[in-house]
């Protein structure tokens, strides 16, 4: 089996994970810059998670030419 099917599946899973992460971001209560301060840790954890998933997504399955049983 070629790696295209596994790449497509993992692309879909990663896209769903990123979507779920975005849904967890909350709207700040207030109109000032100070209203964003409590959300900074959540936003930074989102950015780090997004970067990690982006790096994984960019590098996944490039080292293999064929999908075998142990890879699955």
């Amino acid at each position: 089996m070629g790696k295209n099917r596994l790449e497509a599946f993992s692309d879909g899973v990663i896209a769903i994970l990123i979507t779920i992460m975005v849904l967890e971001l909350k709207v700040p209560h207030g109109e000032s810059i100070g209203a964003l301060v409590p959300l900074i840790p959540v936003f930074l954890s989102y950015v780090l998670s997004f970067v990690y998933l982006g790096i994984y997504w960019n590098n996944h399955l490039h080292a293999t030419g064929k999908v075998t049983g142990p890879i699955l």
Side-chain angles (χ1 to χ4, degrees), residues 26-50:
K26 304 293 183 217
V27 176
H29 300 291
E31 299 175 1
S32 67
I33 298 294
L36 294 175
V37 173
L39 299 177
I40 289 175
V42 174
F43 183 71
L44 289 177
S45 66
Y46 170 77
V47 168
L48 288 174
S49 298
F50 184 81

Side-chain angles (χ1 to χ4, degrees), residues 14 17-18 21 48-58:
I14 292 171
L17 289 173
I18 290 172
M21 286 176 17
L48 288 174
S49 298
F50 184 81
V51 167
Y52 178 77
L53 277 174
I55 290 170
Y56 176 76
W57 196 352
N58 189 40

